[in-house]
Amino acid sequence: MDGFFEQPGETRGPGLAAAGATLTIDLGAVRENYRRLKARLGGARCAGVVKADGYGLGAAVIASALRKEGCDSFFVAHVGEGLDLREALGPGPAIYVLNGLPPGAEADAVAAGLIAVANSAEQLSAWRATARRLGRKLPVAVQVDSGMARLGMAPAEVETVAADPDALAGLDLTLVMSHLACADEPDHAANRVQLAEFERLRRLLPAAPASLANSSGIFLGSEWHFDLARPGAALYGINPTPDSDNPMRPVVRLEAKVIQTRTIGEGAGIGYGHTAIADGPLRVATISLGYADGWRRRAAAFAHFNDVRLPFIGRVSMDSIILDVSDLPEGSLKAGDMVEMIGPSQTLDEVARYSGTIAYEVLTSLGRRFNRRYIGG
């Protein structure tokens, strides 16, 4: 696996001395991941999905890094995210709003030059009315539901829109898109079913660029690539091919500060509820990280220090975790030292497995109390 590279970087949030943990975000790795995805796409274009504040890592910073690689199309979930991103990037890049525009948000979207993704005939009608009211043509993307039952026009709705000669009056159809439900399972039958249904539905609409592949969809093959791919997770180092080695570079490293160390005696109860009891003298350390920082309360994970794995003992608290440090030489770990929570010794995907969730949730849950350090920019 490609590792992190160390170099001075920009720091945001509380400084190192004031924060309980440091989150290092490697913008060079984000850019390299974008290059790797583009190379797989051949002639298809590659967008950047930066919703949820760039999966929790800072949408403006991530998008600015991707711009340096030539990325000119971005996807956010909400209008508010789009407004913030436009302010950060300025005019030029296309910014699509995946969830569409809620009633009343049309004027703000137009002012910021956002592109509405119409997920229903109702959303399409509202955007068309906005164009008519302004007396100008507005860009629109139409999302069709090819088999995920989440967002997008149902097949019958697409057929109704296609039969209406005025459905796109005053609108410039810039993209027809859909989303894959099972792309991270390459042999899942749904992938071929959705591909065929997307082909059928998009042909009912006026000719326009098409987009189907998410991060994992890029790895399904060129049939799924169409004109534009929309990777998100893979940009941030999450494995888009869970059954094989991660083809992406790691992007984040999380290190937590040791608050104190101590030796406890046999029979001592550890943490809330005394869910762990010392079975003999035990050396422990308390670190400054907890569920208020996005580390799941029932996460059965580890920390690492000098390549030694340090198991959690007892429950994760709001602001702290207790570690068994008995395998370290006595006195080698002290207050103020940093232990690795996510990094070369324990990847983001491994933390997700320990936590009984997916890497997306781990990443987007990471809190705001960290010292955030950007490198490779």
Side-chain angles (χ1 to χ4, degrees):
M1 180 195 301
D2 295 309
F4 294 88
F5 59 87
E6 287 296 329
Q7 66 181 59
E10 178 186 355
T11 296
R12 299 190 178 189
L16 179 60
T22 292
L23 180 66
T24 300
I25 300 158
D26 189 341
L27 297 175
V30 173
R31 294 176 63 175
E32 173 61 22
N33 288 340
Y34 182 81
R35 289 193 292 268
R36 293 182 185 187
L37 294 169
K38 272 189 71 174
R40 283 192 164 269
L41 286 169
R45 292 167 52 227
C46 190
V49 179
V50 293
K51 62 183 180 177
D53 194 25
Y55 284 48
L57 302 183
V61 182
I62 298 294
S64 295
L66 293 174
R67 285 285 287 152
K68 294 175 183 176
E69 293 298 327
C71 183
D72 62 2
S73 297
F74 297 92
F75 287 80
V76 297
H78 304 300
V79 173
E81 294 178 337
L83 299 178
D84 290 342
L85 190 61
R86 177 62 74 203
E87 184 176 351
L89 295 182
I95 301 175
Y96 292 83
V97 182
L98 287 165
N99 285 9
L101 308 183
E106 293 86 1
D108 286 340
V110 170
L114 307 182
I115 301 176
V117 176
N119 294 292
S120 65
E122 184 181 19
Q123 286 186 347
L124 185 65
S125 176
W127 195 229
R128 185 175 64 242
T130 300
R132 184 171 59 249
R133 186 169 63 253
L134 295 175
R136 54 181 279 203
K137 206 161 193 176
L138 295 176
V140 68
V142 169
Q143 180 156 209
V144 301
D145 179 12
S146 59
M148 190 173 178
R150 184 181 67 172
L151 283 174
M153 296 184 189
E157 202 171 12
V158 177
E159 291 164 5
T160 299
V161 167
D164 180 359
D166 296 322
L168 293 167
L171 300 176
D172 178 18
L173 183 60
T174 64
L175 194 67
V176 177
M177 58 180 284
S178 191
H179 196 72
L180 293 164
C182 306
D184 58 346
E185 301 176 56
D187 297 328
H188 201 295
N191 294 318
R192 284 253 164 228
V193 171
Q194 282 197 257
L195 176 63
E197 181 67 347
F198 180 61
E199 288 274 24
R200 184 183 78 82
L201 293 174
R202 78 183 186 93
R203 288 196 173 110
L204 296 175
L205 299 168
S211 177
L212 179 62
N214 51 12
S215 290
S216 295
I218 292 172
F219 291 81
L220 291 178
S222 59
E223 289 178 272
W224 283 264
H225 292 170
F226 292 95
D227 302 292
L228 178 72
R230 311 185 311 274
L235 293 173
Y236 307 102
I238 296 172
N239 190 354
T241 58
D243 292 333
S244 57
D245 291 341
N246 192 348
M248 302 288 100
R249 276 185 58 182
V251 170
V252 298
R253 182 170 188 163
L254 178 62
E255 298 166 291
K257 190 177 295 181
V258 175
I259 304 170
Q260 67 178 57
T261 62
R262 68 177 70 189
T263 298
I264 59 177
E266 182 178 357
I270 302 168
Y272 280 118
H274 284 182
T275 57
I277 304 293
D279 57 6
L282 198 64
R283 286 188 289 114
V284 300
T286 303
I287 60 172
S288 187
L289 181 79
Y291 58 76
D293 302 296
W295 200 275
R296 290 167 64 96
R297 184 170 179 262
R298 298 189 181 277
F302 305 88
H304 290 80
F305 185 76
N306 290 344
D307 296 323
V308 176
R309 191 168 76 163
L310 309 175
F312 289 15
I313 337 174
R315 291 176 178 161
V316 173
S317 297
M318 182 182 289
D319 312 294
S320 59
I321 297 169
I322 304 166
L323 306 176
D324 180 350
V325 300
S326 302
D327 286 341
L328 289 173
E330 190 164 359
S332 62
L333 184 71
K334 56 188 183 301
D337 286 341
M338 306 293 283
V339 297
E340 177 197 311
M341 306 300 292
I342 301 172
S345 299
Q346 182 168 266
T347 69
L348 185 61
D349 288 288
E350 287 170 336
V351 169
R353 285 197 294 274
Y354 293 140
S355 305
T357 184
I358 56 174
Y360 299 65
E361 185 176 11
V362 173
L363 199 57
T364 57
S365 297
L366 295 178
R368 294 292 170 187
R369 299 194 293 185
F370 303 139
N371 166 47
R372 289 181 168 232
R373 179 169 169 263
Y374 291 94
I375 64 172

